[in-house]
Amino acid sequence: MFGSLNKVPLRNMWPHEALNFTPWLAGNVDSLGLALGLELELIKEEASVGDFSLDLLARDLSTSKLAIIENQLTQTDHDHLGKLLTYAAGFDASFVIWVAESIRDEHRQALEWLNNRTDTDTQFFAVVVEVLKIDDSKPAYNFKPVVFPNEWHKSKSKRTASNQASPRGEKYRSYFQGLIDDLREKHHFTAAKAGQPQNWYSFSSGVSGASFGANFCQGYKVRTELYIDRGDAEENMLLLKYLEQEKSTIESELGQPLSWETIDGKRATRVALYRDGFIENPNSELEAIKEWHISNLLKFKAMFTKHLREFNK
């Protein structure tokens, strides 16, 4: 009735760590984020820290905080632990992620100790990557987190930070917590789990340099957007113009016109949809705004993802 589940040695899939495994992980950093409850977007491979090179530098879109990722095809070792801490300091990273074939007990204990001793702005993760087959099936990969931040230990600090947020910041946190919970649980749109006391929230598009966003703007407006920042103003404009070639088709599918924008004082560009709204609105109106955000985020993902991937090619 059942097949036999077998684990495939990682080197059968990726013979060389730097040449094979790191590039593969770079292309699947969003899946790694999904396993950790983060919205990870790759910034750079082989990012320099002095004479050393970090495997992957990424950003959590929901907070705009940096994540460093060090990977191994083997069991963890002391050399990589030292590098991990060096890179964390060099980039002032908020998320420190160690991916390996297996995690030695002493290294698991070290990361748990760091999670217990550091503040809530620095979080350490250890992740085992597995390749599995059922009988002669195609191989499938799995990210299995084995070290998470100790939320119980840090809960007092989190409550303190929460108490320090302004009343309006708490309203933003509450609004976006409801938004991401619905997007995660009902629509499988995101892996994000924690609302922030800020007037925006970004979600991965699966394509580096482009993200989907829900915002409260100045002037009593709210916005759903595709935000474009590939690190270069000219390339951002090229992508905006590329998408504008499909403007009539995209707006026809959406059922209303979009705003195609350059952003004053920034290299980024965006495609956006607006409506009236304010975080101080009554709860019934905020609920309507949340449904509007959800509906349009889903539409944006369906409409833009294929065009973004085609541009990347």
Side-chain angles (χ1 to χ4, degrees):
M1 181 182 294
F2 296 104
S4 177
L5 183 64
N6 301 300
K7 186 178 290 188
V8 180
L10 298 191
R11 287 200 183 273
N12 286 11
M13 303 299 299
W14 302 285
H16 193 279
E17 187 173 292
L19 298 179
N20 305 119
F21 186 52
T22 301
W24 174 85
L25 188 58
N28 289 276
V29 72
D30 54 336
S31 297
L32 175 62
L34 185 67
L36 301 176
L38 300 173
E39 288 275 341
L40 292 181
E41 179 185 63
L42 181 68
I43 297 175
K44 191 175 183 180
E45 293 183 50
E46 299 298 329
S48 297
V49 180
D51 294 333
F52 300 96
S53 292
L54 167 69
D55 289 330
L56 301 175
L57 179 64
R59 177 183 293 109
D60 174 44
L61 291 174
S62 65
T63 60
S64 289
K65 293 179 179 179
L66 290 179
I68 64 163
I69 304 166
E70 189 69 2
N71 59 255
Q72 290 185 250
L73 275 175
T74 58
Q75 187 180 61
T76 55
D77 56 42
H78 288 351
D79 177 61
H80 280 79
L81 176 59
K83 289 179 180 178
L84 196 73
L85 297 178
T86 300
Y87 302 147
F91 287 105
D92 192 22
S94 294
F95 304 103
V96 182
I97 305 168
W98 197 356
V99 179
E101 185 173 42
S102 62
I103 312 296
R104 292 181 60 160
D105 283 344
E106 53 267 44
H107 296 145
R108 175 184 55 78
Q109 292 169 3
L111 295 186
E112 289 174 346
W113 182 84
L114 287 165
N115 273 327
N116 289 335
R117 295 303 181 99
T118 56
D119 60 27
T120 55
D121 290 331
T122 309
Q123 301 184 342
F124 293 84
F125 300 84
V127 183
V128 167
V129 60
E130 301 174 315
V131 176
L132 305 170
K133 293 179 69 174
I134 300 176
D135 294 334
D136 294 324
S137 69
K138 290 183 178 180
Y141 68 87
N142 179 53
F143 292 117
K144 185 170 73 174
V146 296
V147 176
F148 275 103
N150 189 332
E151 298 300 330
W152 180 86
H153 178 83
K154 295 188 176 184
S155 61
K156 286 186 179 180
S157 299
K158 284 192 170 183
R159 284 197 295 270
T160 300
S162 175
N163 291 337
Q164 291 174 348
S166 68
R168 182 169 293 180
E170 284 305 313
K171 288 184 178 181
Y172 284 130
R173 189 201 305 274
S174 176
Y175 174 85
F176 285 110
Q177 188 65 61
L179 178 74
I180 64 177
D181 285 348
D182 282 358
L183 284 169
R184 184 184 65 253
E185 296 168 7
K186 297 179 181 179
H187 304 285
H188 308 292
F189 182 89
T190 180
K193 294 182 180 179
Q196 304 292 330
Q198 59 197 26
N199 68 332
W200 56 271
Y201 210 97
S202 295
F203 304 93
S204 173
S205 69
V207 175
S208 180
S211 58
F212 301 116
N215 308 67
F216 285 84
C217 318
Q218 294 180 348
Y220 304 99
K221 294 285 186 181
V222 295
R223 179 174 67 234
T224 303
E225 67 180 4
L226 168 67
Y227 188 84
I228 301 168
D229 186 4
R230 299 170 65 87
D232 180 84
E234 289 187 7
E235 191 168 353
N236 295 339
M237 183 60 70
L238 280 174
L239 177 50
L240 182 68
K241 295 299 183 183
Y242 176 83
L243 294 172
E244 273 194 288
Q245 296 176 32
E246 301 295 328
K247 178 178 178 179
S248 59
T249 300
I250 291 171
E251 291 184 345
S252 176
E253 291 180 8
L254 185 65
Q256 55 188 309
L258 292 162
S259 178
W260 304 76
E261 305 174 6
T262 55
I263 305 173
D264 290 342
K266 292 187 177 182
R267 69 189 180 200
T269 59
R270 72 162 65 100
V271 185
L273 194 61
Y274 294 86
R275 62 157 282 173
D276 293 336
F278 185 46
I279 194 61
E280 302 289 351
N281 285 151
N283 287 339
S284 59
E285 181 63 17
L286 288 177
E287 186 65 24
I289 293 170
K290 184 182 76 170
E291 293 305 316
W292 179 86
H293 266 143
I294 290 172
S295 174
N296 287 298
L297 284 168
L298 296 174
K299 290 177 182 177
F300 271 43
K301 184 173 184 177
M303 289 187 299
F304 285 112
T305 300
K306 61 182 178 181
H307 298 299
L308 294 171
R309 289 174 177 167
E310 287 170 0
F311 180 84
N312 252 17
K313 293 177 181 178

